[in-house]
Amino acid sequence: MRTLKTKPFDYFVGIKTLEELVTKDSKVCVINILGNESKKVTPVSHEYSGGNIVAGVQYGRYGKLETKIGDIPVYPSVKQVIKHGHYFDIGVIYLPPSAVFQAVSELLIYNENLKRIIILTEKVSVKDSREIRAICQEAGVD
């Protein structure tokens, strides 16, 4: 489990190119991988990256997402992803706005190797956005 840092880093103010966001060397876990949008986009991303998506989470379900270069295993929680030996440094979230904070919290609690979280959800509340930024800053995660 992640231990919080006592000196948070400065706020991240942006990236210069999309290449800096996720590289082909990144290892990615997708939250809500079997959702309507994600199950269409994730296989394309996985194939383009050469297979950098190591696992996915679909709350309450085990399974797999088929892609042209191999299946992506699906687990019911981030804890199960880690328990099954899938390590990743980037989390991608495709969830409804009210569920985003919980997913961020779960990523931070169970993955000490996490470097970045990409939230693709629109209309996350200001309160949740503020709290997400605060807990990520404390944990040293962008």
Side-chain angles (χ1 to χ4, degrees):
M1 290 187 26
R2 179 179 291 277
T3 55
L4 297 179
K5 297 178 181 181
T6 56
K7 293 185 177 181
F9 65 97
D10 294 333
Y11 280 102
F12 186 70
V13 294
I15 56 173
K16 294 177 183 147
T17 69
L18 287 176
E19 291 173 343
E20 296 175 53
L21 192 60
V22 178
T23 69
K24 290 187 182 220
D25 295 326
S26 300
K27 300 298 178 204
V28 179
C29 178
V30 178
I31 308 295
N32 199 28
I33 194 167
L34 300 177
N36 288 334
E37 184 176 345
S38 180
K39 70 182 172 188
K40 297 173 191 168
V41 174
T42 301
V44 175
S45 300
H46 187 60
E47 292 159 19
Y48 177 77
S49 71
N52 74 346
I53 300 172
V54 297
V57 171
Q58 187 66 40
Y59 291 109
R61 287 174 63 179
Y62 282 95
K64 64 183 177 181
L65 179 63
E66 296 178 6
T67 73
K68 291 178 185 174
I69 63 170
D71 296 344
I72 301 169
V74 177
Y75 299 95
S77 67
V78 172
K79 183 177 182 178
Q80 289 298 316
V81 170
I82 299 296
K83 182 178 177 181
H84 283 87
H86 301 285
Y87 297 99
F88 58 94
D89 57 350
I90 297 182
V92 175
I93 298 175
Y94 283 96
L95 283 170
S98 61
V100 170
F101 178 77
Q102 182 62 37
V104 168
S105 298
E106 184 182 13
L107 284 165
L108 293 173
I109 289 168
Y110 293 110
N111 188 357
E112 290 187 7
N113 298 319
L114 198 64
K115 294 179 184 173
R116 185 170 292 127
I117 299 173
I118 300 167
I119 301 170
L120 296 165
T121 305
E122 297 177 342
K123 301 180 182 175
V124 176
S125 74
V126 172
K127 177 182 181 268
D128 283 356
S129 296
R130 184 178 59 235
E131 290 179 7
I132 288 167
R133 180 68 256 167
I135 65 173
C136 285
Q137 183 176 354
E138 182 67 23
V141 173
D142 270 331

